[in-house]
Structures are given as structure tokens and as C-alpha cells.
Amino acid sequence: MAGIHITDIEAAINYWRERSPSPDGVSLCKETRALAEVYALMVWHHETEADEVTLPAAARAAWMRWYESTPDTPCIAICSTSQGDEVCKGCGRTFDEVQRWTEMTPGEKRASWRRITIEGDAWRFNRYAERALEDSPAGGK
């Protein structure tokens, strides 16, 4: 089963901190608190991933709200897997990831996103980066 990377937990914490800032600099909203507990345990146990299935319900709900605010797919509508490439030159996903995308779990999708972002050599990160920004929720459409 897929794991939720600690950087996604951090991003979700920051998402909630921005939406529900602490009124006194100490207290946290319930979503931030639920995610912070998971984050603290991950740090304590030197883990980089939390199991997607066994994540506590409150933390999972808070993480899913953050996840729903992110772009679903890295696709930029320039697919080379349809022409036989094992890895798409446009988005960086493998042929299998492209084929299974609609049935993948949120954790599996985020793992793909993380990998292609770290690699950073797909066209979405260079030649067509502005197209990817235009199609994203934050990009103006």
C-alpha cells in the first residue's frame, strides 16, 4: 500500500495553518493538531512515510482536504507513452502510471508526483512549464 510522504504531511499542516491560524500562537485547529501528531510520530520513529490506510481518521480527513486542493494529474496533454515511450516525456509518469491513474489511491498519486518532481526532467518542468501553471487551480483558470 502507498505511503504518504512526510513532505505531504508538512504541506497539509501548512495548508491548515494558513486557513486556521492560531489565535494565540500556541493552540492549533483540530486539522493541524491531527496532522501534527502524525508528523511528530514520524519524526520520532525516523519514518519518511505514513501508511495511507492506517492514518488516523482525523489526520486522513485533514490530509484529504489538502490533497483535494492540489492538481490531480501532472498531465500537460503531450503524451509520449501513446507512441511507445515507457516514460512520458510530457508529464514524467511511467506507462503504467498513465494507464492506472484513475484507479490509483491518493497516496499512490502523490508518490508519482513526488518522483516526477524530484526527477524534474519532464517537459512540464521546462519547455511547457507555463502550460502546466495555466492548467493548475492556482494558475489563473
Side-chain angles (χ1 to χ4, degrees), residues 41-109:
L41 286 170
M42 291 173 75
V43 170
W44 176 259
H45 292 288
H46 304 283
E47 298 290 339
T48 58
E49 292 185 345
D51 183 52
E52 181 179 12
V53 175
T54 61
L55 204 61
R60 178 156 173 78
W63 185 81
M64 284 300 296
R65 283 280 306 276
W66 165 79
Y67 169 80
E68 290 163 0
S69 75
T70 65
D72 176 57
T73 176
C75 181
I76 60 168
I78 301 175
C79 190
S80 67
T81 60
S82 61
Q83 299 167 3
D85 285 344
E86 196 54 40
V87 176
C88 179
K89 291 179 179 125
C91 70
R93 291 179 293 171
T94 65
F95 178 79
D96 185 52
E97 288 168 335
V98 171
Q99 295 298 307
R100 293 187 43 249
W101 195 260
T102 57
E103 60 195 53
M104 290 170 68
T105 68
E108 291 170 331
K109 288 180 180 181

Side-chain angles (χ1 to χ4, degrees), residues 116-136:
I116 66 169
T117 302
I118 289 170
E119 291 170 357
D121 54 4
W123 289 348
R124 83 172 341 275
F125 298 109
N126 48 45
R127 288 192 234 183
Y128 298 97
E130 58 283 340
R131 177 186 285 187
L133 284 174
E134 289 171 8
D135 294 340
S136 75

